[in-house]
Amino acid sequence: MSTQTSELLAAAAPRTVDVVRGISDDQLDLPTPCQDYVVRDLLNHLFQVVVNFQELAGKRQVEWAEKPDHLGDGWRDRFEVETGRLVAAWSDPSTLEGVSPGMGMPQPVIGGMALLDLTVHGWDLAVATGQPYRPAPEAVAELHGLVEQLGPTARKMGVFADPTPTPTDLTPDLTPDLAHLLTKTGRLPTWPQTP
């Protein structure tokens, strides 16, 4: 990534935090663009990403099999706190050196994966709950190369679906750059918002 990972995370994080803060309790069982996840599931997944990628910044092992429920009292505030810790964890330039012992990929790729989840799942949650969402343009621009790099393996593992066509009828919140990124992860940028 040509821009420091922590700078990109710092630009992306508040936008996703705003979406999370805007989710009401009665929206937790709504569907999302991630087929297997309702809003509650996706929030728990994103919480796990934000917490685990703090550890991965320090080149420590993480546990993905455990699926704790993060949506107890004060979960919106805790998400903001943990996201701030994620940004701080990647602020040391040494986090980008070497290969992740837990993931077996270069550390810059690991940092990019955190940015990708924060950005794309921010969109997923926004459209699922009928909120506006404009991701950090600099983050979206940087993520295209990462998605190209990870795409073949991610599709084999079921993390990405097959690419979808980029629509021409874009809403004001959906820039061509974001729409193209979403289609490369197998999402439909015109996914209907919940009324």
Side-chain angles (χ1 to χ4, degrees), residues 16 19-20 22-43 46 75 119-133 173-174 182 187-195:
T16 301
V19 170
V20 169
I23 297 171
S24 61
D25 289 346
D26 63 357
Q27 293 178 313
L28 293 176
D29 293 316
L30 293 176
T32 73
C34 301
Q35 246 181 345
D36 298 332
Y37 288 164
V38 296
V39 169
R40 173 190 319 277
D41 302 328
L42 190 53
L43 282 167
L46 192 54
W75 59 266
T119 301
V120 173
H121 289 324
W123 178 83
D124 291 329
L125 290 167
V127 297
T129 57
Q131 297 184 64
Y133 178 66
D173 277 348
L174 193 60
L182 294 171
R187 285 164 170 78
L188 292 170
T190 53
W191 194 85
Q193 291 190 354
T194 303

Side-chain angles (χ1 to χ4, degrees), residues 87-127:
V87 174
W90 286 92
S91 64
D92 182 341
S94 69
T95 60
L96 299 176
E97 296 170 2
V99 172
S100 168
M103 303 281 278
M105 291 183 276
Q107 281 290 111
V109 172
I110 302 301
M113 290 168 67
L115 180 67
L116 180 64
D117 270 31
L118 205 57
T119 301
V120 173
H121 289 324
W123 178 83
D124 291 329
L125 290 167
V127 297

Side-chain angles (χ1 to χ4, degrees), residues 46-58:
L46 192 54
F47 249 110
Q48 187 176 28
V49 165
V50 166
V51 170
N52 280 358
F53 277 81
Q54 295 171 38
E55 298 300 307
L56 291 169

Side-chain angles (χ1 to χ4, degrees), residues 142-159:
E142 286 284 348
L143 287 170
H144 284 282
L146 180 68
V147 170
E148 290 289 345
Q149 178 184 347
L150 296 177
T153 302
R155 280 187 275 282
K156 277 183 196 167
M157 295 174 65
V159 177

